[in-house]
Amino acid sequence: MSFLDRLRAYAYLIRLDKPIGTLLLLWPTLWGLWLASSGIPDLNTLFIFVVGTFLMRSAGCAMNDYADRDFDRHVQRTKERPVTSGKISGKEAVAVALTLALIAFLLIQPLNAFTKQLSVLALAVAFIYPFTKRFFAMPQAILGIAFGFGIPMAYAAILDFIPLEAWVLFVGNIFWAIAYDTAYAMVDREDDLRLGLRTSAITFGKYDVVAIGICYGILFITQLWVAQLADLSNYFLVGWFMALACAIYHMQLVSTRKREECFLAFRHNNWLGGFVFLGIVLGLSIN
């Protein structure tokens, strides 16, 4: 394999070609940063969290491909991934994951001790998640914890404590992750059943669409609670209603249970996260 081919394989390993995962991890982090700083985050802290989000998502992808190396080759959508196809060894994937995690940890050194302690828990969850599909009926909940850890870390970095609004925001994000990743899991449900893996799409069964709707409902209720706790102005509702429109669109897509529509619903959640962020920005900046 040429040097360029190897570089390309590493790029695919950390999903440089698929930024949707980074965005779904970034939006909750930005929610937390803006709320914790009352709409005026320190630029250095913002830089650390944005770059750290990219590094940790990339590390998680490398670890995921290592964990799923014996399963990915049996799934049409994933059989060409670098590890399972042999372009990159399992040891290399783990080395990449650890290296990126170390860089992320070095990046947060200017932050307080509380944030550093939370980062260790965040790393543990991120590295455990890929293996939960073997034994846990709802691995999407673990993903929600991993993807939402930027919320308590943001509050810890700015306030040095974690208020109630942060935990409400965190819980809402877990249910959001269950919603969008169940849509994602619906794409591979038949393959996962054949391989003996566990996902929320399998656990929910024929109630998958209803479950996604309930998870979205919890997200939007918790967002209203957060808006009240953070004393956001009613302009927050501009973003909230736009996000709600996205969720209604996603429900229409997943109700078909077709692979293409379910995958589109998953990808479109980037807009939902962005509109929630818009609402928070408006709620903080306009009285």
Side-chain angles (χ1 to χ4, degrees):
M1 185 187 299
S2 70
F3 177 71
L4 283 177
D5 287 338
R6 181 162 289 276
L7 275 182
R8 192 175 294 112
Y10 279 118
Y12 283 128
L13 177 70
I14 63 174
R15 309 289 196 276
L16 283 183
D17 60 318
K18 296 177 180 177
I20 179 65
T22 300
L23 292 169
L24 291 174
L25 181 58
L26 181 61
W27 286 127
T29 304
L30 294 179
W31 302 347
L33 282 171
W34 252 254
L35 286 165
S37 63
S38 298
I40 310 174
D42 173 73
L43 290 180
N44 288 332
T45 303
L46 178 62
F47 173 80
I48 289 171
F49 272 89
V50 170
V51 176
T53 294
F54 168 76
L55 291 170
M56 287 308 300
R57 189 262 177 161
S58 299
C61 289
M63 186 56 67
N64 182 79
D65 280 13
Y66 170 76
D68 288 350
R69 64 195 185 281
D70 294 328
F71 299 107
D72 282 346
R73 66 173 59 100
H74 302 292
V75 179
Q76 181 67 28
R77 187 177 57 81
T78 60
K79 67 180 182 180
E80 294 302 322
R81 284 181 175 174
V83 177
T84 197
S85 63
K87 297 183 180 73
I88 293 176
S89 71
K91 290 182 179 179
E92 284 180 286
V94 173
V96 168
L98 292 174
T99 300
L100 292 172
L102 176 60
I103 296 172
F105 185 71
L106 293 174
L107 187 68
I108 66 168
Q109 291 311 296
L111 304 180
N112 57 37
F114 189 20
T115 309
K116 295 171 190 174
Q117 292 166 1
L118 287 174
S119 74
V120 175
L121 289 175
L123 176 64
V125 175
F127 276 29
I128 289 170
Y129 161 69
F131 298 95
T132 58
K133 288 176 279 188
R134 292 157 176 76
F135 60 86
F136 188 52
M138 197 72 63
Q140 281 68 25
I142 309 300
L143 177 74
I145 294 172
F147 270 42
F149 234 103
I151 294 171
M153 286 182 64
Y155 279 88
I158 294 170
L159 304 177
D160 207 17
F161 73 97
I162 305 173
L164 175 61
E165 71 181 55
W167 293 119
V168 175
L169 196 67
F170 182 63
V171 170
N173 182 77
I174 293 173
F175 282 95
W176 181 37
I178 294 173
Y180 66 64
D181 210 55
T182 297
Y184 189 51
M186 289 168 72
V187 176
D188 295 331
R189 179 157 39 195
E190 286 72 22
D191 292 319
D192 290 337
L193 281 167
R194 177 168 48 83
L195 295 170
L197 297 175
R198 300 186 181 187
T199 70
S200 56
I202 293 171
T203 300
F204 291 141
K206 64 181 180 180
Y207 301 107
D208 49 4
V209 176
V210 173
I212 291 173
I214 291 172
C215 288
Y216 272 135
I218 294 173
L219 165 67
F220 286 105
I221 290 170
T222 55
Q223 287 288 330
L224 291 175
W225 189 3
V226 167
Q228 182 183 40
L229 291 170
D231 198 26
L232 300 183
S233 74
N234 287 335
Y235 286 96
F236 164 77
L237 294 175
V238 174
W240 189 87
F241 276 113
M242 293 172 76
L244 180 62
C246 286
I248 293 170
Y249 172 55
H250 301 162
M251 293 302 299
Q252 293 175 336
L253 290 172
V254 298
S255 65
T256 67
R257 293 189 172 86
K258 295 179 180 178
R259 289 192 176 205
E260 295 78 10
E261 279 78 357
C262 290
F263 190 59
L264 177 58
F266 163 73
R267 288 175 54 85
H268 197 265
N269 270 274
N270 169 50
W271 290 98
L272 189 155
F275 286 136
V276 169
F277 178 62
L278 173 64
I280 290 171
V281 170
L282 292 176
L284 287 168
S285 58
I286 305 177
N287 294 321

